[in-house]
Short mmCIF file of all heavy atoms in Angstrom, two decimals:
data_model
loop_
_atom_site.label_atom_id
_atom_site.label_comp_id
_atom_site.label_asym_id
_atom_site.label_seq_id
_atom_site.Cartn_x
_atom_site.Cartn_y
_atom_site.Cartn_z
N PRO A 2 58.28 7.32 111.11
CA PRO A 2 58.17 8.82 110.91
C PRO A 2 56.89 9.40 111.35
O PRO A 2 56.90 10.46 111.74
CB PRO A 2 58.41 8.90 109.32
CG PRO A 2 58.94 7.62 108.91
CD PRO A 2 58.52 6.56 109.85
N ASN A 3 55.82 8.75 111.22
CA ASN A 3 54.51 9.37 111.64
C ASN A 3 53.98 8.71 112.97
O ASN A 3 52.81 8.75 113.30
CB ASN A 3 53.50 9.19 110.51
CG ASN A 3 53.29 7.82 109.93
OD1 ASN A 3 54.21 6.81 110.41
ND2 ASN A 3 52.52 7.62 109.01
N ASP A 4 54.93 8.33 113.81
CA ASP A 4 54.64 7.84 115.18
C ASP A 4 53.83 8.91 115.90
O ASP A 4 54.18 10.08 115.74
CB ASP A 4 55.90 7.55 115.97
CG ASP A 4 55.77 6.90 117.22
OD1 ASP A 4 55.08 7.57 118.09
OD2 ASP A 4 56.15 5.77 117.47
N PRO A 5 52.69 8.50 116.58
CA PRO A 5 51.93 9.56 117.22
C PRO A 5 52.63 10.42 118.30
O PRO A 5 52.20 11.45 118.71
CB PRO A 5 50.80 8.76 117.87
CG PRO A 5 51.14 7.31 117.66
CD PRO A 5 52.26 7.23 116.71
N ARG A 6 53.85 9.93 118.69
CA ARG A 6 54.55 10.67 119.70
C ARG A 6 55.48 11.73 119.00
O ARG A 6 56.04 12.59 119.68
CB ARG A 6 55.51 9.72 120.48
CG ARG A 6 54.71 8.78 121.32
CD ARG A 6 55.59 7.55 121.85
NE ARG A 6 56.05 6.86 120.69
CZ ARG A 6 56.66 5.56 120.87
NH1 ARG A 6 57.16 5.13 122.01
NH2 ARG A 6 57.05 4.87 119.73
N GLY A 7 55.62 11.73 117.71
CA GLY A 7 56.52 12.58 116.99
C GLY A 7 57.76 11.79 116.63
O GLY A 7 57.91 10.66 117.09
N SER A 8 58.58 12.33 115.79
CA SER A 8 59.80 11.62 115.37
C SER A 8 60.86 12.61 114.89
O SER A 8 60.53 13.85 114.78
CB SER A 8 59.52 10.55 114.30
OG SER A 8 59.47 11.25 113.00
N THR A 9 62.00 12.10 114.63
CA THR A 9 63.06 12.90 114.04
C THR A 9 63.19 12.82 112.53
O THR A 9 64.07 13.22 111.92
CB THR A 9 64.45 12.57 114.66
OG1 THR A 9 64.71 11.24 114.37
CG2 THR A 9 64.44 12.91 116.15
N SER A 10 62.24 12.02 111.91
CA SER A 10 62.21 11.85 110.44
C SER A 10 61.69 13.17 109.85
O SER A 10 60.87 13.83 110.34
CB SER A 10 61.32 10.79 110.09
OG SER A 10 61.84 9.53 110.67
N ARG A 11 62.22 13.36 108.57
CA ARG A 11 61.81 14.56 107.86
C ARG A 11 60.85 14.09 106.67
O ARG A 11 60.40 15.06 105.99
CB ARG A 11 62.95 15.36 107.39
CG ARG A 11 63.76 15.86 108.49
CD ARG A 11 64.42 17.21 108.15
NE ARG A 11 65.27 17.69 109.29
CZ ARG A 11 64.91 18.67 110.13
NH1 ARG A 11 63.73 19.18 109.93
NH2 ARG A 11 65.66 18.97 111.00
N SER A 12 60.72 12.81 106.49
CA SER A 12 59.88 12.37 105.33
C SER A 12 59.34 10.99 105.64
O SER A 12 60.00 10.28 106.40
CB SER A 12 60.67 12.39 104.05
OG SER A 12 61.65 11.42 104.13
N ILE A 13 58.32 10.68 104.96
CA ILE A 13 57.73 9.25 105.01
C ILE A 13 58.01 8.74 103.58
O ILE A 13 57.41 9.20 102.54
CB ILE A 13 56.22 9.33 105.37
CG1 ILE A 13 55.99 9.89 106.65
CG2 ILE A 13 55.74 7.82 105.38
CD1 ILE A 13 54.55 10.12 107.03
N ARG A 14 58.75 7.71 103.48
CA ARG A 14 59.19 7.14 102.17
C ARG A 14 58.27 6.14 101.60
O ARG A 14 58.28 5.72 100.49
CB ARG A 14 60.57 6.54 102.22
CG ARG A 14 61.63 7.60 102.37
CD ARG A 14 62.97 7.12 102.37
NE ARG A 14 63.71 7.46 103.61
CZ ARG A 14 64.69 6.81 104.06
NH1 ARG A 14 65.20 5.73 103.44
NH2 ARG A 14 65.28 7.19 105.13
N SER A 15 57.38 5.59 102.38
CA SER A 15 56.49 4.46 102.02
C SER A 15 55.00 5.04 101.96
O SER A 15 54.56 5.57 102.83
CB SER A 15 56.55 3.35 103.06
OG SER A 15 55.38 2.49 102.94
N ASP A 16 54.43 4.85 100.83
CA ASP A 16 53.02 5.26 100.57
C ASP A 16 52.14 4.56 101.56
O ASP A 16 51.18 5.16 101.99
CB ASP A 16 52.61 5.04 99.15
CG ASP A 16 53.26 6.05 98.14
OD1 ASP A 16 53.74 7.08 98.54
OD2 ASP A 16 53.41 5.64 96.88
N LEU A 17 52.44 3.30 101.81
CA LEU A 17 51.51 2.52 102.81
C LEU A 17 51.60 3.17 104.19
O LEU A 17 50.61 3.30 104.84
CB LEU A 17 51.96 1.09 102.92
CG LEU A 17 51.59 0.19 101.73
CD1 LEU A 17 52.13 -1.09 101.83
CD2 LEU A 17 50.10 0.09 101.55
N LEU A 18 52.82 3.51 104.57
CA LEU A 18 52.88 4.23 105.86
C LEU A 18 52.36 5.55 105.87
O LEU A 18 51.86 5.98 106.95
CB LEU A 18 54.44 4.27 106.27
CG LEU A 18 55.15 3.03 106.63
CD1 LEU A 18 56.62 3.21 106.95
CD2 LEU A 18 54.45 2.20 107.73
N LYS A 19 52.31 6.35 104.82
CA LYS A 19 51.72 7.63 104.74
C LYS A 19 50.18 7.54 105.16
O LYS A 19 49.71 8.44 105.74
CB LYS A 19 51.83 8.17 103.37
CG LYS A 19 53.18 8.73 103.08
CD LYS A 19 53.27 9.26 101.69
CE LYS A 19 54.70 9.73 101.37
NZ LYS A 19 54.89 10.22 99.93
N GLU A 20 49.59 6.42 104.87
CA GLU A 20 48.14 6.22 105.22
C GLU A 20 47.91 6.10 106.63
O GLU A 20 46.79 6.35 107.11
CB GLU A 20 47.65 4.99 104.52
CG GLU A 20 47.62 5.09 102.98
CD GLU A 20 47.21 3.78 102.26
OE1 GLU A 20 46.49 2.88 103.01
OE2 GLU A 20 47.37 3.65 101.11
N LEU A 21 48.98 5.88 107.54
CA LEU A 21 48.82 5.78 108.94
C LEU A 21 48.74 7.14 109.64
O LEU A 21 48.34 7.20 110.78
CB LEU A 21 49.95 4.96 109.53
CG LEU A 21 50.15 3.58 109.16
CD1 LEU A 21 51.35 2.88 109.67
CD2 LEU A 21 48.86 2.75 109.62
N GLY A 22 49.09 8.26 108.96
CA GLY A 22 49.02 9.51 109.62
C GLY A 22 50.16 10.42 109.15
O GLY A 22 51.07 10.05 108.35
N GLU A 23 50.02 11.67 109.44
CA GLU A 23 50.95 12.68 109.03
C GLU A 23 52.26 12.61 109.79
O GLU A 23 52.33 12.17 110.99
CB GLU A 23 50.27 14.15 109.18
CG GLU A 23 49.01 14.21 108.47
CD GLU A 23 48.84 15.59 107.84
OE1 GLU A 23 49.71 16.42 108.06
OE2 GLU A 23 47.79 15.79 107.16
N LEU A 24 53.33 13.16 109.17
CA LEU A 24 54.55 13.36 109.81
C LEU A 24 54.47 14.46 110.81
O LEU A 24 53.97 15.51 110.55
CB LEU A 24 55.60 13.71 108.74
CG LEU A 24 57.05 13.96 109.17
CD1 LEU A 24 57.69 12.68 109.63
CD2 LEU A 24 57.87 14.59 108.00
N HIS A 25 55.14 14.23 111.94
CA HIS A 25 55.24 15.26 112.95
C HIS A 25 56.70 15.35 113.38
O HIS A 25 57.17 14.41 114.04
CB HIS A 25 54.38 15.09 114.17
CG HIS A 25 54.45 16.14 115.20
ND1 HIS A 25 53.87 17.33 115.14
CD2 HIS A 25 55.30 16.17 116.31
CE1 HIS A 25 54.24 18.11 116.11
NE2 HIS A 25 55.16 17.40 116.88
N TYR A 26 57.43 16.31 112.88
CA TYR A 26 58.97 16.34 113.21
C TYR A 26 59.08 16.89 114.64
O TYR A 26 58.40 17.93 115.05
CB TYR A 26 59.58 17.26 112.29
CG TYR A 26 61.12 17.34 112.61
CD1 TYR A 26 61.97 16.29 112.23
CD2 TYR A 26 61.65 18.40 113.29
CE1 TYR A 26 63.23 16.37 112.50
CE2 TYR A 26 62.91 18.55 113.61
CZ TYR A 26 63.78 17.49 113.23
OH TYR A 26 65.06 17.53 113.56
N GLY A 27 59.80 16.15 115.42
CA GLY A 27 60.06 16.49 116.86
C GLY A 27 59.12 15.86 117.74
O GLY A 27 58.04 15.22 117.37
N ARG A 28 59.47 15.80 119.02
CA ARG A 28 58.64 15.19 120.06
C ARG A 28 57.38 16.00 120.34
O ARG A 28 57.60 17.26 120.56
CB ARG A 28 59.40 15.07 121.33
CG ARG A 28 58.82 14.29 122.40
CD ARG A 28 59.26 12.80 122.28
NE ARG A 28 58.86 12.15 123.50
CZ ARG A 28 58.96 10.90 123.69
NH1 ARG A 28 59.55 10.13 122.73
NH2 ARG A 28 58.60 10.36 124.80
N LYS A 29 56.25 15.45 120.30
CA LYS A 29 54.96 16.19 120.57
C LYS A 29 54.96 16.64 122.02
O LYS A 29 55.38 15.87 122.89
CB LYS A 29 53.76 15.34 120.26
CG LYS A 29 53.53 15.18 118.68
CD LYS A 29 52.23 14.47 118.39
CE LYS A 29 51.96 14.37 116.95
NZ LYS A 29 50.78 13.61 116.73
N ARG A 30 54.49 17.84 122.24
CA ARG A 30 54.33 18.44 123.61
C ARG A 30 53.42 17.50 124.50
O ARG A 30 53.64 17.18 125.70
CB ARG A 30 53.87 19.79 123.66
CG ARG A 30 54.87 20.75 123.31
CD ARG A 30 54.26 22.19 123.31
NE ARG A 30 54.34 22.80 124.62
CZ ARG A 30 55.37 23.64 124.97
NH1 ARG A 30 56.35 23.77 124.28
NH2 ARG A 30 55.34 24.09 126.20
N VAL A 31 52.31 17.23 123.97
CA VAL A 31 51.27 16.33 124.68
C VAL A 31 51.41 14.95 124.00
O VAL A 31 51.15 14.77 122.81
CB VAL A 31 49.82 16.86 124.48
CG1 VAL A 31 48.87 15.95 125.15
CG2 VAL A 31 49.73 18.32 125.07
N GLN A 32 51.87 14.01 124.78
CA GLN A 32 52.05 12.69 124.42
C GLN A 32 50.72 11.83 124.37
O GLN A 32 49.82 12.04 125.18
CB GLN A 32 53.14 11.94 125.33
CG GLN A 32 54.46 12.44 125.10
CD GLN A 32 55.01 12.14 123.71
OE1 GLN A 32 55.15 11.01 123.45
NE2 GLN A 32 55.19 13.08 122.82
#
C-alpha cells in the first residue's frame, strides 16, 4: 500500500508496514 510508486490501496493494515512510509493512493506522477 505504501509502495513508493503509489498504489490502489486505501489503507495500510499492518503497523509494521506503516513504518515504511505513508500511503499514496494512485500512481505517483513522478516515479
Side-chain angles (χ1 to χ4, degrees):
N3 47 359
D4 187 294
R6 297 167 287 188
S8 81
T9 58
S10 298
R11 297 208 183 260
S12 66
I13 302 173
R14 292 185 233 157
S15 164
D16 289 337
L17 286 174
L18 290 179
K19 285 180 184 176
E20 295 176 18
L21 295 175
E23 300 218 359
L24 176 73
H25 179 85
Y26 181 76
R28 188 89 169 180
K29 288 186 176 178
R30 280 181 89 90
V31 177
Q32 289 291 293

